[in-house]
Amino acid sequence: MTKKLFVKTYGCQMNVYDSERMAEALGGEGYEQVDSPEGADMILLNTCHIREKAAEKVYSELGRFRPLREANPDLKIGVAGCVAQAEGEEIMRRQPMVDLVVGPQTYHRLPKMVQALENGEKALDTDFPEEDKFAHLPKLRTSRGPTAFLTVQEGCDKFCSFCVVPYTRGAEVSRSAERLLGEARDLVERGVREITLLGQNVNAYHGAGADGAEWGLARLIREMAGIDGLERIRFTTSHPNDMDDDLIAAHADCDKLMPYLHLPVQAGSDKILKAMNRKHTRDDYIRLIERIRAVRPDLHLSGDFIVGFPGETEADFEQTLDLVRQVGYGTAYSFKYSARPGTPAMERDGQVTDAEASDRLQRLQGLLGEQQRATQDAMVGRHVRVLFEKPGREPGQMVGKSEYLHAVHVDGPAELRGQIAPVEIVESRTNSLRGRLI
Ligand code: SAH
Ligand code: SF4
Ligand code: F3S
């Protein structure tokens, strides 16, 4: 009899990818994924530890499953991902309902852990094993939507002073290029047209190439672009210091690489960048952007920002605003600094008050919002190519993404799904564009 698995994912795209792989691993144990926790035999939360709010959400979410557990004592509850890695056993102490805790590097062992659960035991595994989990995961043959994520690199050696990722995901590891090309071909055979290469520091990729040499991300992208039927390649997230010449050049000469780049800078003041251990200056970043835009003038740039880092003065913050004005972003994500256990910044003096941080966040988001609006409005009248993914909310409508990752709605037939079609943008709406098939 098939059992029902409900997976809920928080955090970054790497968690989205991991959730898919965990569901596949549990598929081999007779679990079938369902869309709601009601009636499920197992609930798995794939969690994020990046900010306090994200981490605490796990416990409130677990509390909400209590009635389900009371109604069905056989219901298994598992916590995976970065909170699992960071807190381990503590999770079971705080929430005894939890049967299973599995970190991001050991979920290929889920089948064995699930067997323990079925024997009435609890299971916990937060190792950083030697073996490559991906090599131990089953390969699936089911058809896929037009877009997919593919993790090429994991972990981070950068140790920005505010960030938990080097602790929750471990050291930087790149997967072999040959395996990745194989996986990409499989995805394309299953219907995928666009692949987003993922890594906590994806442009630090340095995997073993098919020719025995070490390949950087640009080489991997160029080889992947040779796969027939794969139309688009994206990658995220990058660190400014790993943006090498070849990767910059690929933005000019690799047609399948899309003109959208997420390149976080975090702050605009050199003093704060140094305190964050970013190992680049404001000027390094600006010059890097200039170089990339010189070869790809229509690039849409995205970024991440943190306000209220310890020691950030009003003058430092104004330099962030100034950098944003100077660079210009198509989209951006901004956050209030959150002090995280085990990170160097947590111990620092000069913690900024919450009221001050909220005020800065509001001002920064105001400016970024204006830029996003202006970028989107400037698309009206332009011709883009849209990869259609699914039906829109209104009947007869289809939605897809432009090269620049804007969501575009058009009136068109369901057969458009999985196809790339030329579209003229006719209207800019709150969070999407409306277009007309050409
Ligand atoms: N490896 C990526 C993404 C890391 S997490 C990178 O280097 O860009 C995604 C974003 O969360 C970061 O870019 C940062 O802006 C934000 N972030 C990370 N730690 C944070 C913290 N302690 N408080 C607030 N925001 C944080
Ligand atoms: Fe975190 Fe910095 Fe690594 Fe990004 S580069 S994951 S922000 S430590
Ligand atoms: Fe969160 Fe872990 Fe991703 S902390 S952002 S889920 S790497």
Side-chain angles (χ1 to χ4, degrees):
M1 207 187 79
T2 60
K3 289 166 280 183
K4 297 195 182 94
L5 168 70
F6 174 70
V7 183
K8 184 153 184 188
T9 309
Y10 302 87
C12 61
Q13 287 120 325
M14 302 198 64
N15 261 13
V16 175
Y17 179 79
D18 287 342
S19 288
E20 287 171 6
R21 302 306 305 257
M22 286 193 278
E24 288 179 0
L26 289 170
E29 301 306 295
Y31 282 94
E32 200 178 75
Q33 217 174 328
V34 293
D35 297 334
S36 117
E38 281 78 30
D41 299 287
M42 185 184 301
I43 293 174
L44 194 57
L45 297 183
N46 195 9
T47 62
C48 174
H49 202 242
I50 201 83
R51 283 167 291 273
E52 189 179 356
K53 253 198 204 134
E56 283 303 313
K57 216 187 278 171
V58 176
Y59 292 100
S60 54
E61 189 73 28
L62 284 170
R64 288 207 273 152
F65 295 140
R66 187 179 305 278
L68 295 178
R69 171 74 153 233
E70 278 162 7
N72 172 16
D74 290 332
L75 168 66
K76 308 291 182 215
I77 298 181
V79 177
C82 291
V83 176
Q85 191 63 47
E87 297 185 7
E89 252 174 303
E90 180 61 27
I91 298 175
M92 289 177 174
R93 258 196 300 274
R94 239 181 106 176
Q95 185 45 272
M97 234 167 40
V98 172
D99 305 290
L100 168 117
V101 172
V102 61
Q105 303 307 344
T106 43
Y107 61 73
H108 56 297
R109 297 178 183 162
L110 269 173
K112 223 197 217 139
M113 299 175 78
V114 166
Q115 276 158 25
L117 297 191
E118 275 162 14
N119 296 331
E121 297 160 27
K122 295 209 170 207
L124 176 126
D125 194 340
T126 53
D127 282 355
F128 284 111
E130 285 289 307
E131 78 265 16
D132 172 9
K133 67 174 176 244
F134 297 110
H136 290 77
L137 286 166
K139 259 196 189 159
L140 276 210
R141 294 267 152 236
T142 50
S143 75
R144 297 278 314 242
T147 63
F149 292 134
L150 176 54
T151 294
V152 304
Q153 177 277 340
E154 275 203 276
C156 181
D157 296 340
K158 294 278 189 285
F159 291 92
C160 298
S161 60
F162 51 81
C163 184
V164 294
V165 170
Y167 312 98
T168 61
R169 293 274 172 165
E172 223 173 275
V173 182
S174 296
R175 299 178 62 196
S176 106
E178 201 154 9
R179 282 235 181 85
L180 292 169
L181 290 170
E183 214 172 297
R185 276 187 217 101
D186 282 348
L187 287 169
V188 171
E189 270 167 35
R190 289 160 66 187
V192 170
R193 294 289 163 263
E194 172 182 304
I195 293 182
T196 302
L197 307 178
L198 298 181
Q200 266 89 22
N201 243 316
V202 71
N203 56 348
Y205 177 81
H206 56 102
D211 53 5
E214 200 175 80
W215 290 6
L217 185 66
R219 179 76 192 273
L220 181 68
I221 290 171
R222 290 181 206 281
E223 298 287 337
M224 217 165 257
I227 298 176
D228 278 343
L230 178 62
E231 306 293 344
R232 293 180 159 187
I233 302 170
R234 305 179 184 276
F235 63 90
T236 196
T237 295
S238 300
H239 190 286
N241 290 359
D242 292 314
M243 212 62 214
D244 65 19
D245 293 345
D246 198 15
L247 190 54
I248 294 174
H251 285 87
D253 61 35
C254 181
D255 291 345
K256 291 186 180 177
L257 181 60
M258 292 293 105
Y260 179 99
L261 178 65
H262 184 67
L263 196 64
V265 61
Q266 314 296 358
S269 127
D270 281 337
K271 180 188 100 190
I272 296 299
L273 287 172
K274 190 160 196 301
M276 286 177 163
N277 194 31
R278 289 291 290 183
K279 300 196 180 83
H280 61 74
T281 63
R282 162 201 183 92
D283 196 48
D284 293 335
Y285 181 80
I286 290 171
R287 275 182 300 150
L288 175 62
I289 300 296
E290 282 169 359
R291 283 174 59 211
I292 308 168
R293 281 189 168 146
V295 304
R296 189 75 213 218
D298 65 336
L299 186 86
H300 272 219
L301 190 68
S302 160
D304 290 344
F305 297 89
I306 294 176
V307 301
F309 187 81
E312 184 187 74
T313 62
E314 174 63 22
D316 292 318
F317 171 66
E318 276 166 19
Q319 291 200 44
T320 299
L321 293 177
D322 185 67
L323 174 105
V324 170
R325 279 187 210 105
Q326 202 173 336
V327 170
Y329 290 86
T331 35
Y333 304 87
S334 46
F335 313 98
K336 267 195 276 186
Y337 167 72
S338 169
R340 305 304 291 130
T343 60
M346 184 152 182
E347 319 294 329
R348 302 262 168 90
D349 295 336
Q351 301 282 337
V352 175
T353 66
D354 189 58
E356 188 70 37
S358 297
D359 174 65
R360 289 178 192 170
L361 186 65
Q362 207 184 351
R363 285 151 69 199
L364 176 60
Q365 289 183 340
L367 175 61
L368 290 167
E370 275 168 35
Q371 292 191 345
Q372 178 164 349
R373 176 113 305 271
T375 316
Q376 214 185 276
D377 291 351
M379 296 305 296
V380 175
R382 283 186 55 183
H383 292 186
V384 294
R385 293 176 64 76
V386 176
L387 170 58
F388 287 98
E389 293 173 25
K390 56 182 187 219
R393 227 170 286 149
E394 291 155 36
Q397 218 182 39
M398 291 295 288
V399 193
K401 298 272 165 60
S402 74
E403 301 88 326
Y404 309 104
L405 215 53
H406 283 129
V408 180
H409 297 252
V410 304
D411 290 329
E415 291 73 48
L416 280 175
R417 185 165 190 262
Q419 292 190 38
I420 295 177
V423 168
E424 182 190 351
I425 302 300
V426 296
E427 189 190 340
S428 170
R429 294 181 167 179
T430 316
N431 280 311
S432 68
L433 297 167
R434 204 165 59 80
R436 180 165 51 220
L437 289 167
I438 301 171

